[in-house]
Amino acid sequence: MADRHPRLKELKFTLYRIFRNPSALIGFCLLLMFGIIAVAAPYIAPPKYPRSPYVMPHKGFSPTPRPPSRQNLMGTTSGQYDIFYGVVWGTRTAFKIGFVVVGIAALVGITLGLVAGYFGSLADEIIMRAVDVAFAVPLLVLTMAIIVAFGRGLENVMFALALVEWRVYVRVMRSGILALRDMDYVQAAKVMGVSHVRIMLRHLLPNGIYPVLVIATMDIGSMVITAAFMSFLGLGAPKGYADWGQMVALARNYIIGPPGDPLKYWYTIAFPGLCIILFVLAWNLIGDALRDAFDPKIRRG
Amino acid sequence: MPKLIETRDLVTNFYTYEGVVKALNKVGLVIERGTTFGLVGESGCGKSVTARSMMRVVQEPGRIEGGQVLFYPGEDGQEAVELLSQSEAYMQSLRGDQISMIFQEPNAALNPIMTIGDQVAESFLFHRKKEMCAKVLEDLKTADLPWPGLKKLLEFFYRRAAADPGDRLCCWASRTPILKRWQQRLFREARRRSVEIIAALDIANADQVVDRYPHNLSGGMKQRILIAMALACEPLLLIADEATSNLDVTIQAQILDLLRKLKKKSISSILLITHDLGVVAETCDRVGVMYAGSVCEVARVGELFRNPLHPYTRALLDAVPKFSVSGQLKSVEGNVPNLVDPPSGCRFHPRCPLRRKICAQRLPELALAGPDHLVACHLAGGRSGSAQVWGGR
Amino acid sequence: MPADMILQLKGLKKHYPILGGVLRKQINTVKALDGIDLDIYRGECLGLVGESGCGKTTTGKAVIRLHDPSEGSIFYYGKEHGAGRGVDITGLGRRALKKLGIRGKLQMVFQDPTTSLNPRMLIKNIIAEPIRAQNGLGARQMEKRVAELLYMVGLTKDHLLRYPHEFSGGQRQRIAVARAIATDPDFIVLDEPTSALDVSVQAQILNLLKSLQDSLQLTYLFVTHHLLVVKYVSNRTAVMYLGKIVELAPTADLFASPFHPYTHALLSGIPIPDVDHKPHRIVLAGDVPSPMNPPSGCRFHTRCPFAQEVCRRQEPVAAEAAPGRLVACHRWQDVPRLVRERFGK
């Protein structure tokens, strides 16, 4: 035991804490599945147009969906887009949305939160008032404004989401730092003449980042939902883009079939809808397990 | 003196990631009626766990895995109740009533959004409802009420409650608007008793203090209130877990003074858990010394301080700064062992200056080494290190 | 007693404003320190005792410039600045302190090693941090220095690659001490270094601190509420009450014949681990008043058993009761007699 590197031991302990929770296991299995699909997308569903793989291939323009067949494993949705292809490549889109939005938002939020919490006084006042203003901005209006200004596209939706989402991270990070700022080891570092940047990076960040990680994990799921919602409204990805939200939007008129056979077009909504649900669920389960694992009260229980 | 509570071979383990922490290793203690028993030892030696095991309030992930806790509620100390096999409901009726506990941190033990009076009264309302209802019933006979029907109604409720504190009808009535006002007299009685008990603890203007909130009070005052709550139902045993450790010297002096006075007034026994040998010397009658989950020595306080037999007790007494001596402090080398993997045999042997071969092999048991003096050591003898094996154990 | 001073505090005050209302106006002040004058001599260990909230930790932190005092000044007489030439470090900023090389000379050991060591740093990095902050060393030299420091506090190289939670309380405090002496300081504030430790370990740490003081020629300010510990380690002792020093004396004299009634009460309040000792306890009534509005006159008069009219009106000034002994009490000459009469000591 002793000869192994302590960081490895620490990692093992953290993993133990996480996987002691059965819901984390389910979450990670789901995520693994999505991950494999995303990575292997070119093999599972070879793109028709190699230059732009995210564009869903379609044969014809008939608005009536077609049921699953040998050619279209999950059937086609309105516009004859292949659902199977959309679901597979939509996994990549989902990861892209989640990681990019949360990545940018968390990076900005953590930095500002650290600065606000550590320095306090004027810096704190300025940053937190900016956050208050950001909280007052309605997401939908902002997105519409950005779409109007920069044109329709997934990038712009992600940009808009990141522009709104950072505010949460600032608050969480700041409150964590406020509690840590007066810890003795931070005071000790000050006495030793350690620079502000180093105190923030070595002492405050590693100890205060856990609540942010938990939120970020859960946020990845909710960002995908929000982006899907935007796509559903027609603010997101351009038509034909492999995006789950887009596919649900395409199925909008076929959620309920003709009278007498309400479940006729079930496949149009079920597959992309299920993907969204499972994807979000996976992240939430993991986030929940992380929350338990990082609970400082039961760290060495 | 008759026994009050006794533990026999108590074993409590904590199941953690690092392994099973063997917190208590066959702890056997006897606390007699009307005495103050001090339990000393270093942090992590299991003194708090012993007390918690007695009351069956061991925190997660701990489990009591063996032994007995015998409680003798009768005056003569004959009939014993084995607490570990009792139901949780029985334990609840016992805690706070016959056995009560004061904790180290008064801020954590008091609810910040309840007034002091309500918190003290809670204990009465839980354990003494029957008695108080009878008292109210008594008072009602002479009470002047606006109309006779009300008196009838109140008497009806109080009679039911006095017969059975958990009466369904009364419980239902206490949740119904208007009807729930039947309890007012009961609350008034509980409050009266709270004021009484708080006043008994040398607190000036107790009738004002009951209406305050914990944050209005100072640390020493809060600790007194906790003592008041613990003493509310006149317990047979009061467990004080490091009750004075967080207080300042001058406040600690007040609290110790108070405990001493209380002991003179009532017969309740006190189990004083502390790491401060000074506190023990001043307040206790008998002392138990614990090390790494086992009891090493139990004796009367004078005997223990004058003639400590266990090497750990001696080391501990030598390590304490004293008033009259100066110069180098003698320290106990080494550290407290990790209880996941405790040393074999006597748990103190790796740090013991007198260790022999046998110490690493066999766990010594508590045995009589003198009048009323129990020691768990394979060797016991003169102070100068000329240890001699006694009793051929 | 060594004659050359290392630190001098002059009229040190620390007031915390209390803001209230919508406009965040100052509605009150907490007077944590209210005029502290103290000379600390090179090579001594000065004990600073008092109850919680009396300002002893604040003093300690102000001396090493962890807090900014609101008023007063702190002079540092470093060896490299020449004998008798003090530097006023009160107004110096972080950078200036570092540049003058003072930052590494004034260090601190905190009360609870569980909170003073970053739980997510390896011991190696914890001890190396102050050296890195002052003057970088090469990787190999650094390793050597850290190992040497660990050896000095009684730990070994095997402990380098571990996290703080793997150690016992005593070992952690040793690590904290190693970190404090890493920059080769002159002066260390010891803020209750043993009160979070067990009795048997406390003696180890106290002995370690004593031997380090001898070998490294350190000066200590030993802040504690535990009087008996002070008796073991310090040469002189200052007693604080509500932000003021009420008595300052060589430790032996203070314990043998205290002048201030508060010192009497403190000393008599210590539980003695000796069954043959019969305590003549002076139990003070009431609690320490709030430092927000301290009592007028002598701050101790509300609890003092010998308070007179003058105590309520006039604040006593520190008087030299004997060579090297200061006491701030109107009636210090009568106190020993009064205590004897009232409490039969």
Side-chain angles (χ1 to χ4, degrees), chain B residues 18 41-44 218-221 245-254 256-257 260 275-279 281-282 301-303 305-306 312 316-317 319-336 351, chain C residues 50-53 56 165 168 170-171 174 195-204 206-207 210 225-229 231-232 255 262 265-277 279 281-288 303 345:
Chain B
E18 256 99 310
E42 298 174 287
S43 57
S218 65
M221 198 76 130
S245 319
N246 269 7
L247 302 174
D248 285 313
V249 181
T250 55
I251 308 296
Q252 172 171 292
Q254 292 174 359
L256 290 180
D257 222 41
R260 246 196 310 271
H275 64 270
D276 192 338
L277 285 162
V279 172
E282 290 193 10
V301 71
E303 170 77 4
F305 277 85
R306 282 189 210 105
Y312 176 65
L316 208 58
L317 285 171
V320 185
K322 283 167 214 71
F323 204 84
S324 45
V325 195
S326 52
Q328 276 285 62
L329 276 177
K330 277 195 203 141
S331 62
V332 193
E333 284 317 312
N335 292 294
V336 181
R351 297 173 79 186
Chain C
E51 294 177 284
S52 56
K56 52 190 195 302
H165 68 78
S168 68
Q171 286 172 317
R174 284 171 192 269
S195 48
L197 304 178
D198 285 312
V199 188
S200 71
V201 181
Q202 163 174 299
Q204 289 176 12
L206 289 179
N207 289 339
K210 256 188 166 172
H225 68 277
H226 200 316
L227 284 121
L228 288 179
V229 169
K231 188 171 156 52
Y232 270 88
F255 277 76
Y262 180 61
L266 273 186
L267 289 178
S268 79
I270 313 170
I272 306 295
D274 185 357
V275 277
D276 300 321
H277 173 91
R281 182 151 295 160
I282 305 171
V283 177
L284 291 178
D287 288 299
V288 183
R303 301 175 77 198
K345 199 171 187 175

Side-chain angles (χ1 to χ4, degrees), chain A residues 64-228:
Chain A
T64 323
R66 268 192 227 139
S69 64
R70 288 206 68 154
Q71 234 164 9
N72 307 106
L73 278 175
M74 295 179 180
T76 59
T77 186
S78 103
Q80 297 312 313
Y81 293 106
D82 183 25
I83 296 181
F84 179 70
Y85 188 91
V87 163
V88 170
W89 284 86
T91 315
R92 279 196 172 193
T93 315
F95 273 113
K96 203 163 71 179
I97 295 169
F99 284 142
V100 169
V101 173
V102 171
I104 295 173
L107 198 70
V108 173
I110 288 171
T111 315
L112 291 178
L114 254 179
V115 171
Y118 179 66
F119 288 106
S121 63
L122 191 66
D124 187 27
E125 203 68 25
I126 292 172
I127 292 172
M128 292 325 285
R129 292 302 80 78
V131 169
D132 289 346
V133 171
F135 261 102
V137 175
L139 175 60
L140 213 55
V141 176
L142 182 75
T143 318
M144 278 195 251
I146 287 174
I147 301 286
V148 167
F150 299 106
R152 191 175 165 174
L154 205 59
E155 291 75 29
N156 292 337
V157 170
M158 293 200 286
F159 179 58
L161 287 178
L163 214 55
V164 169
E165 211 44 36
W166 64 278
R167 57 194 187 181
V168 182
Y169 296 92
V170 181
R171 281 205 176 160
V172 173
M173 192 69 195
R174 174 177 172 269
S175 67
I177 297 302
L178 282 184
L180 289 174
R181 190 174 64 172
D182 292 325
M183 288 295 279
D184 278 347
Y185 56 82
V186 178
Q187 306 248 317
K190 280 186 190 166
V191 175
M192 294 182 292
V194 179
S195 66
H196 289 317
V197 176
R198 223 182 132 76
I199 288 180
M200 285 196 274
L201 292 183
R202 294 291 310 251
H203 294 283
L204 295 175
L205 190 66
N207 287 292
I209 198 160
Y210 293 96
V212 177
L213 280 186
V214 172
I215 292 194
T217 313
M218 295 195 167
D219 245 13
I220 291 180
S222 68
M223 281 308 101
V224 171
I225 284 205
T226 318

